Amino acid sequence: MNALLDRLRACVGPTQLLTDGDLSAWELDWRKRWRGRALAVVRPGSTAEVVAVVRACAEHGASLVPQGGNTGLVGGGVPDASGTQVLLSLQRLNRIRALDRANLTLTAEAGCILQAVQQAAADAGLLFPLSLAAEGSCTIGGNLATNAGGTQVLRYGNARELCLGLEVVTADGEVWDGLAGLRKDNTGYDLRDLFIGSEGTLGIITAATLELYPRPAAQLTAFAAAASLPDCVALLGLAQARLHAGLTGFEVMNRFALDLVARHFADLPRPLPQAEWTVLLELSDADGEASARERFEALLADALERGVIGDAVVAESLAQARALWHVRESIPLAQAEEGLNIKHDIALPVSAIPGFCAHTDAALARAFPGIRLVNFGHLGDGNLHYNVQAPEGAPAPDFLARHEHAVNTIVYDAVVAAGGSISAEHGVGLLKREELAGRKSPVALKLMRALKTALDPHDRLNPGRVLAGPTK
Ligand code: FAD
Ligand code: ZN
């Protein structure tokens, strides 16, 4: 192993190879659920250095775990406990390579922080719409490797829809330059889409060409209070009918989710009285603030008149709008403060969501009296974070150790019965690979294994993630 360490040191320089001291920033995941031990943390500064690292690892038979901002929630970006894996941090690949105003594209290296990409687009008077609560620390490479979703999906799509091209280092250390900023290209199999969402198991993303949009002239944000999930779904239908593509955000939060935010972040505003459900709506308008406000207020008045909502408030300023988003985005942090929890990132047809929740809430309450549901998410695109917190006062680690599997079975059986997906936007990683193996069709799993074997025949890229068991 010393020979490999010497080679890696030569690839990236002695200061960018870390083997000693506290490496928990790379070895421990954001939720503190998975702690691994790396042979070394390697921090290349260019695509050429990534190539050199991959070739060195291939020659020494070592496996690599790519990592960006280490904000993933499924244990996909931290090494295993063997002490033999090389943690490949892409954070130093952080240059914006190009911005093409006429083509509405930006080319960024994989380690660019999402917020920096948003800012580079804003500096050019344009919009990069991918937005999620981890945007201050997650990277473009990680966003694409997990096909991240976030809060603007109902208007602009997932990370996949915002990516026109990739540069990838393959398992044997070749560079595939697919960075062309084309919106049409039917020259065979879509390699870009293969790497997006592959969670570091098929190739290492080193750069991406991303799609930009014109900035809306005005953006308004509102909170609305609803008595039930069917009412939230009715509000969504009304908002889509009246606002069309202007509806850029539609988030729901159950009462307990907002209670947790109030408990752990007492200085955040609570602009509406408590309701069973609170909806955050965002309207983007090309014509300006006055037109936006008129359309938004007409929608909310209509919804009030129909009894779909009981109350609503529209932010009066950018600061107020940010505060409303901040409340929504604080839910995962408040949950982490409350203690370890069981996360379910699920997708369902919007029409199936009220029935799914009624059935599953009741089944969980019967099986685990006192269980607390933190249910929130992106209702506009049918994605719920249907999370389970141990009963008040029950030690969370103990509850998880004893009941996580049974809770998951109840939730995922209901998801599958309703035609949904067990991973909407966070990916599979370690957390869901057994569920995937048990629930994905045998044909789909066979095709996935065939792809893995073709692109990474020696199982060196993030082994054991997504697909359970050896793929060699
Ligand atoms: P990491 O955590 O470093 O890695 C994630 C995976 O990608 C790992 O499997 C890793 O091996 C692989 N990977 C990383 N970089 C590369 C690369 N360059 N090439 C190949 N593989 C790579 N996700 C959503 O989709 N929507 C949300 O709304 C959302 N909200 C979040 C809120 C919070 C508070 C947090 C902590 C996370 C949230 N996430 C959300 C999770 C989300 O998946 C990540 O934040 C983000 O997409 C991961 O980026 P990262 O750079 O941190 O990747
Ligand atoms: Zn989310």
Side-chain angles (χ1 to χ4, degrees):
M1 281 306 167
N2 277 346
L4 173 58
L5 291 177
D6 288 344
R7 271 289 297 281
L8 293 173
R9 202 171 285 115
C11 295
V12 295
T15 55
Q16 303 303 342
L17 182 89
L18 316 176
T19 52
D20 304 320
D22 180 9
L23 300 181
S24 44
W26 297 274
E27 293 181 332
L28 179 65
D29 82 298
W30 188 87
R31 292 176 67 195
K32 301 187 170 51
R33 272 200 82 167
W34 295 274
R35 180 190 283 280
R37 196 164 62 82
L39 174 69
V41 174
V42 188
R43 295 164 38 90
S46 66
T47 302
E49 287 187 5
V50 174
V51 167
V53 168
V54 170
R55 289 188 181 163
C57 288
E59 280 167 31
H60 286 82
S63 61
L64 282 152
V65 179
Q67 189 186 88
N70 196 14
T71 67
L73 300 172
V74 293
V78 286
D80 65 20
S82 67
T84 62
Q85 297 192 307
V86 173
L87 191 290
L88 178 70
S89 168
L90 280 304
Q91 278 176 320
R92 288 182 60 235
L93 271 75
N94 59 3
R95 283 169 290 262
I96 307 279
R97 289 192 191 163
L99 190 148
D100 183 340
R101 282 170 197 273
N103 198 42
L104 287 176
T105 50
L106 179 153
T107 300
E109 292 185 341
C112 285
I113 301 289
L114 172 55
Q115 210 165 51
V117 173
Q118 295 167 343
Q119 190 57 50
D123 291 346
L126 296 167
L127 173 74
F128 181 59
L130 187 67
S131 178
L132 43 119
E135 64 198 21
S137 34
C138 64
T139 63
I140 284 297
N143 297 150
L144 290 166
T146 58
N147 187 23
T151 57
Q152 306 280 294
V153 173
L154 82 165
R155 167 70 181 87
Y156 299 103
N158 296 294
R160 184 187 300 284
E161 282 79 40
L162 295 167
C163 177
L164 296 180
L166 289 180
E167 178 187 88
V168 172
V169 174
T170 66
D172 50 6
E174 290 183 309
V175 180
W176 172 56
D177 179 352
L179 281 177
L182 301 177
R183 288 175 176 79
K184 291 190 170 180
D185 178 13
N186 281 348
T187 52
Y189 307 138
D190 196 323
L191 299 175
R192 174 199 59 200
D193 272 353
L194 210 52
F195 291 112
I196 296 174
S198 67
E199 299 183 48
T201 62
L202 298 183
I204 295 157
I205 298 169
T206 47
T209 297
L210 305 166
E211 197 163 15
L212 305 179
Y213 282 81
R215 281 192 92 71
Q219 254 180 344
L220 290 181
T221 308
F223 262 19
S228 69
L229 258 182
D231 284 346
C232 297
V233 172
L235 179 63
L236 174 64
L238 212 54
Q240 284 168 326
R242 278 178 162 271
L243 307 178
H244 304 268
L247 182 67
T248 46
F250 194 98
E251 303 281 311
V252 292
M253 302 162 270
N254 77 348
R255 180 194 285 259
F256 183 57
L258 288 185
D259 285 348
L260 278 189
V261 173
R263 181 182 299 179
H264 295 288
F265 304 106
D267 47 350
L268 284 181
R270 189 144 196 183
L272 289 179
Q274 289 194 342
E276 284 313 304
W277 290 91
T278 301
V279 183
L280 183 156
L281 301 97
E282 183 188 77
L283 165 64
S284 299
D285 193 301
D287 291 330
E289 167 116 19
S291 132
R293 202 163 283 280
E294 199 176 305
R295 291 170 74 200
F296 222 3
E297 278 166 3
L299 163 72
L300 295 170
D302 188 7
L304 272 167
E305 199 176 313
R306 290 168 191 251
V308 168
I309 58 175
D311 205 349
V313 55
V314 182
E316 289 298 328
S317 64
L318 199 58
Q320 273 185 17
R322 288 215 177 104
L324 296 186
W325 274 108
H326 196 44
V327 170
R328 155 65 184 86
E329 287 173 348
S330 298
I331 297 172
L333 302 166
Q335 255 202 289
E337 291 290 321
E338 184 72 10
L340 212 54
N341 53 82
I342 307 174
K343 288 196 191 297
H344 303 107
D345 161 43
I346 56 177
L348 294 152
V350 171
S351 48
I353 284 179
F356 163 85
C357 288
H359 164 85
T360 316
D361 292 5
L364 287 172
R366 264 196 313 275
F368 305 102
I371 204 167
R372 299 174 297 164
L373 290 174
V374 184
N375 192 354
F376 65 101
H378 321 287
L379 186 71
D381 35 272
N383 175 195
L384 289 182
H385 298 309
Y386 188 85
N387 297 343
V388 172
Q389 208 95 35
E392 187 91 52
D398 182 51
F399 182 82
L400 258 71
R402 288 171 50 196
H403 302 307
E404 182 167 13
H405 184 68
V407 168
N408 287 345
T409 302
I410 292 175
V411 174
Y412 292 142
D413 282 353
V415 168
V416 171
S421 166
I422 63 163
S423 175
E425 59 173 8
H426 294 164
V428 177
L430 282 176
L431 182 69
K432 294 185 184 171
R433 59 181 192 163
E434 272 79 25
E435 289 289 348
L436 195 81
R439 294 180 185 275
K440 197 117 180 150
S441 84
V443 178
L445 285 169
K446 193 168 83 178
L447 292 172
M448 285 172 66
R449 282 184 185 282
L451 287 170
K452 173 72 175 167
T453 307
L455 271 73
D456 181 18
H458 304 291
D459 202 12
R460 292 214 179 94
L461 298 181
N462 226 357
R465 315 304 155 100
V466 181
L467 291 168
T471 46
K472 281 195 248 209

